[in-house]
């Protein structure tokens, strides 16, 4: 707090630049927090009724905590873990094990990888994961895919090569067996990229799989919030933003941006105008498309019109309270094969959330991704389906009775990394010099994904503001852990061969 006060007093003699941040998720809160600490006049606008967007939680009419899906915090989330330490929070569980179910029962159990002897990637992932039914011959069929993992180095050139190809085509091209794809890779896509392989970009699939699973042995290890993310992280974070001098305003839906002389000078919310020396957009694809559609100004720029080529995915978040305690083997579980194009997860909240630790009956969160066909169903039918699917995984649920439930439909809620979408995504900078972008769908070379990526791009946007106004210290951003030596050598060699081939051989094939 002393550092914040010193920074603000140093800038009292000069007019602080006004920065308007749109969207109060990981990216927007990250930008606003750092800039407020550096003495900027920060206003954070959130369209919803509470900060945090889709990640935050709220209370039902009965006072029960619910949220728009459970969010894990993986081992590589180095910047988020650093943030919660700075905030003085202790929101997380211990590292947890997870399992995977199909209609046939338990399929896979994962250990806590950091507790196993460390092996060169990807040997640890291959040897320590406990498959119950998948034959070794099918698992070995993934070996040729390692070339694509090496070839995809998160560069712009790599994204251009792989983005137009579907993930399903990629796995087929590299000889992955049908069973391995159906029982391992597609379930990862359904809960990692939220869509089936034929609807996912191969570039996004490689980036996601590498970051969360393949880059280093412990990467798949995960912790969870001991309550809703809103209660555990976002609310105390917002308090610190406001203590640093930032304003956080909810129910402020942006309808336009004022541009004068090639710069953004204000953000319009209905009848209100918020003056700005810089603007940072930190909203999801659907929210940004709504803003562009309503904005007579942004529609004049092709880069914003091109955002209409992007899409988002439906999510269904349910929470069930049972009349008795059912023993769930592991607290976090992913499921596949119950619906053709939908993946789902379920969590034992008695084990994860402090609020339900002593509850006499089980409290289960079940979240469905690419849930298009489920959203039109009635609440009663959805609850019955969730109960039925849970009982298939853990038979003891058959005799348990649902005494309360919550059903939250989230239409077009999460980013869809569709084949060919990369060319329509925006980088952190735009053709409007002081209008910046952040979020989990923004192009960045950092290499992170999901919540960590959103937070990192928020810090990157804050640093661009600091660079423009030459005021304050940039936010430190922790890079992803470097490639292991054998991967680094393989990638360097591959780039050299590619460069040589491009100069010597004619371009006979599509990139």
């Amino acid at each position: 707090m002393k550092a914040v006060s010193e920074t603000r007093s140093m800038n009292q003699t000069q007019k602080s630049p006004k920065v308007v941040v749109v969207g109060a998720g990981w990216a927007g809160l990250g930008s606003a927090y750092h800039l407020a600490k550096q003495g900027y006049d920060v206003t954070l606008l959130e369209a919803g009724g509470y900060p945090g967007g889709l990640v935050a939680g709220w209370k039902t009419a009965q006072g029960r905590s619910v949220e728009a899906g459970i969010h894990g915090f993986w081992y590589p989330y180095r910047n988020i873990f650093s943030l919660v330490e700075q905030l003085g929070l202790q929101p997380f569980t211990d590292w947890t094990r997870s399992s995977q179910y199909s209609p046939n029962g338990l399929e896979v159990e994962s250990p806590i990888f950091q507790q196993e002897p460390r092996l060169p990637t990807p040997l640890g992932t291959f040897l320590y994961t406990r498959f119950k039914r998948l034959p070794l011959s099918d698992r070995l069929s993934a070996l040729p895919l390692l070339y694509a993992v090496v070839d995809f180095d998160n560069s712009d050139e790599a994204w251009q090569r792989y983005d137009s190809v579907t993930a399903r085509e990629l796995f087929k091209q590299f000889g992955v067996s049908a069973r391995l794809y159906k029982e391992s890779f597609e379930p990862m896509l359904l809960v990692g990229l939220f869509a089936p392989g034929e609807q996912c970009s191969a570039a996004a699939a490689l980036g996601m799989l590498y970051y969360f699973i393949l880059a280093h042995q412990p990467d798949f290890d995960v912790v969870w919030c001991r309550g809703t993310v809103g209660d555990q992280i976002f609310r105390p974070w917002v308090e610190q933003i406001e203590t640093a001098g930032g304003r956080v305003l909810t129910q402020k839906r942006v309808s336009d941006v004022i541009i004068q002389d090639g710069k953004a000078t204000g953000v319009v919310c209905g009848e209100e105008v918020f003056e700005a020396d810089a603007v940072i957009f930190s909203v999801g694809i659907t929210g940004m498309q709504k803003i562009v559609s309503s904005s007579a100004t942004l529609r004049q720029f092709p880069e914003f019109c091109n955002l209409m080529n992007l899409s988002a995915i439906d999510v269904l978040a349910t929470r069930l309270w049972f009349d008795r305690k059912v023993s769930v083997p592991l607290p976090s579980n992913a499921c596949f094969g119950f619906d053709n194009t939908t993946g789902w997860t379920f969590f034992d909240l008695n084990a994860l959330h402090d609020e339900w630790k002593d509850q006499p009956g089980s409290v289960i969160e079940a979240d469905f991704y690419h849930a298009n066909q489920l959203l039109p169903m009635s609440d009663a039918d959805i609850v019955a389906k969730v109960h039925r699917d849970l009982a298939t995984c853990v038979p003891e649920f058959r005799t348990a009775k649902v005494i309360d439930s919550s059903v939250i439909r989230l239409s077009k809620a999460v980013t869809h990394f569709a084949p060919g979408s990369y060319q329509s995504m925006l980088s952190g900078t735009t053709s409007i010099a002081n209008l910046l972008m952040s979020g989990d769908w923004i192009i960045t070379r950092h290499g992170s994904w999901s919540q960590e990526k959103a937070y990192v791009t928020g810090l990157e946007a804050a640093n661009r503001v600091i660079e423009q106004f030459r005021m304050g210290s940039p936010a430190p951003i922790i890079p992803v852990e470097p490639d292991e030596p054998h991967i680094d050598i393989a990638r360097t060699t591959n780039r050299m061969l590619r460069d040589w081939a491009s100069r010597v051989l004619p371009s006979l094939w599509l990139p």
Side-chain angles (χ1 to χ4, degrees):
M1 292 308 229
K2 181 180 178 183
V4 172
S5 301
E6 288 176 351
T7 302
R8 294 181 64 191
S9 60
M10 279 192 306
N11 292 305
Q12 284 177 348
T13 57
Q14 63 184 57
K15 184 180 178 182
S16 298
K18 295 180 179 180
V19 182
V20 176
V21 182
V22 181
W26 281 106
L29 291 168
S31 295
Y33 180 51
H34 186 72
L35 290 173
K37 289 194 300 178
Q38 301 307 307
Y40 287 81
D41 182 351
V42 177
T43 302
L44 178 57
L45 305 176
E46 167 58 42
Y50 49 88
L54 292 176
V55 180
W58 60 93
K59 300 285 187 182
T60 67
Q62 294 75 32
R64 298 182 187 272
S65 296
V66 294
E67 55 194 319
I70 295 287
H71 301 267
F73 295 80
W74 270 261
Y75 186 87
Y77 282 16
R78 303 165 78 184
N79 288 280
I80 287 180
F81 291 140
S82 175
L83 167 71
V84 297
E85 185 177 347
Q86 293 170 34
L87 295 175
L89 304 176
Q90 294 181 323
F92 297 128
T93 66
D94 293 332
W95 300 103
T96 64
R97 294 176 56 212
S98 60
S99 60
Q100 196 172 76
Y101 290 88
S102 77
N104 295 321
L106 181 63
E107 298 286 350
V108 182
E109 285 185 345
S110 298
I112 298 174
F113 287 95
Q114 62 194 284
Q115 295 178 356
E116 303 289 342
R118 187 150 181 173
L119 299 174
T121 187
L123 287 179
T125 304
F126 181 80
L127 294 176
Y128 296 138
T129 304
R130 299 157 193 170
F131 293 92
K132 301 298 182 180
R133 294 184 179 86
L134 190 64
L136 177 62
S137 58
D138 286 286
R139 283 178 269 161
L140 290 173
S141 73
L143 289 176
L145 187 65
L146 290 177
Y147 171 73
V149 172
V150 167
D151 190 46
F152 183 81
D153 58 3
N154 199 47
S155 64
D156 181 68
E157 294 78 13
W159 272 90
Q160 297 287 354
R161 283 199 303 275
Y162 284 95
D163 186 59
S164 60
V165 181
T166 72
R168 192 178 190 282
E169 287 176 299
L170 176 78
F171 294 129
K172 183 177 180 180
Q173 177 183 347
F174 281 91
V176 170
S177 75
R179 183 169 180 179
L180 178 63
Y181 175 76
K182 200 67 180 174
E183 297 184 12
S184 184
F185 283 116
E186 186 163 66
M188 292 178 197
L189 296 174
L190 286 169
V191 299
L193 292 180
F194 313 117
E198 60 271 18
Q199 298 181 33
C200 292
S201 153
L206 289 169
M208 183 272 295
L209 290 172
Y210 189 69
Y211 180 71
F212 283 115
I213 299 172
L214 297 176
H216 308 93
Q217 183 177 300
D219 285 348
F220 192 63
D221 291 345
V222 63
V223 297
W224 309 88
C225 260
R226 301 195 333 266
T228 66
V229 175
D231 283 336
Q232 298 290 321
I233 300 176
F234 284 170
R235 285 181 180 85
W237 195 6
V238 167
E239 290 174 5
Q240 294 211 28
I241 291 172
E242 291 174 335
T243 299
R247 290 193 301 164
V248 180
L249 306 178
T250 58
Q251 304 286 0
K252 300 296 181 183
R253 191 171 297 277
V254 172
S255 54
D256 209 346
V257 179
I258 300 172
I259 307 291
Q260 295 178 342
D261 299 324
K263 290 187 176 182
T265 59
V267 173
V268 181
C269 296
E271 300 298 318
E272 292 182 278
V273 176
F274 295 89
E275 293 182 0
D277 297 303
V279 174
I280 300 173
F281 277 109
S282 304
V283 297
I285 286 173
T286 302
M288 197 66 213
Q289 288 173 333
K290 290 178 180 178
I291 292 171
V292 172
S293 296
S294 68
S295 170
T297 304
L298 294 181
R299 291 201 302 263
Q300 299 175 36
F301 294 84
E303 65 200 294
F304 291 103
C305 291
N306 288 341
L307 295 181
M308 296 303 170
N309 291 321
L310 303 178
S311 58
I313 291 169
D314 295 338
V315 176
L316 177 68
T318 69
R319 188 162 292 188
L320 275 58
W321 287 262
F322 289 89
D323 66 343
R324 69 195 68 177
K325 188 72 69 69
V326 174
S327 178
V328 179
L330 293 177
S332 63
N333 308 274
C335 306
F336 68 93
F338 290 78
D339 301 280
N340 286 334
T341 61
T342 301
W344 65 288
T345 52
F346 71 92
F347 305 90
D348 179 6
L349 297 190
N350 304 85
L352 297 178
H353 284 192
D354 293 348
E355 182 178 0
W356 310 115
K357 184 168 50 179
D358 300 320
Q359 184 83 357
S362 286
V363 183
I364 301 294
E365 174 84 14
D367 301 329
F368 295 78
Y369 310 100
H370 202 266
N372 314 44
Q373 74 275 23
L374 303 181
L375 265 56
M377 296 168 59
S378 69
D379 284 6
D381 287 342
I382 287 172
V383 171
K385 171 187 169 47
V386 175
H387 192 178
R388 187 167 59 248
D389 290 349
L390 281 172
T392 301
C393 301
V394 183
E396 288 82 359
F397 276 110
R398 291 172 187 160
T399 56
K401 181 181 178 182
V402 178
I403 59 173
D404 198 2
S405 61
S406 166
V407 176
I408 302 171
R409 296 170 178 81
L410 303 159
S411 178
K412 310 301 180 189
V414 294
T415 303
H416 184 195
F417 291 94
S421 60
Y422 182 74
Q423 61 187 338
S424 297
M425 291 181 175
L426 293 176
S427 65
T429 57
T430 70
S431 59
I432 304 166
N434 64 339
L435 194 156
L436 305 166
M437 305 297 301
S438 60
D440 72 350
W441 58 279
I442 298 301
I443 295 172
T444 175
R445 299 276 79 93
H446 183 264
S448 50
W449 278 85
S450 193
Q451 297 173 102
E452 174 83 349
K453 178 181 177 182
Y455 176 55
V456 165
T457 59
L459 296 182
E460 290 176 338
N463 288 348
R464 290 185 176 106
V465 170
I466 289 169
E467 184 180 1
Q468 284 187 16
F469 292 98
R470 298 181 180 180
M471 173 182 140
S473 301
I477 298 175
I478 304 170
V480 296
E481 188 176 350
D483 292 332
E484 293 184 5
H486 61 292
I487 299 294
D488 186 51
I489 292 170
R491 285 186 163 168
T492 301
T493 303
N494 182 65
R495 281 191 290 267
M496 291 172 57
L497 291 173
R498 271 196 167 276
D499 183 59
W500 174 82
S502 67
R503 295 198 305 267
V504 175
L505 299 176
S507 299
L508 299 177
W509 298 277
L510 287 171

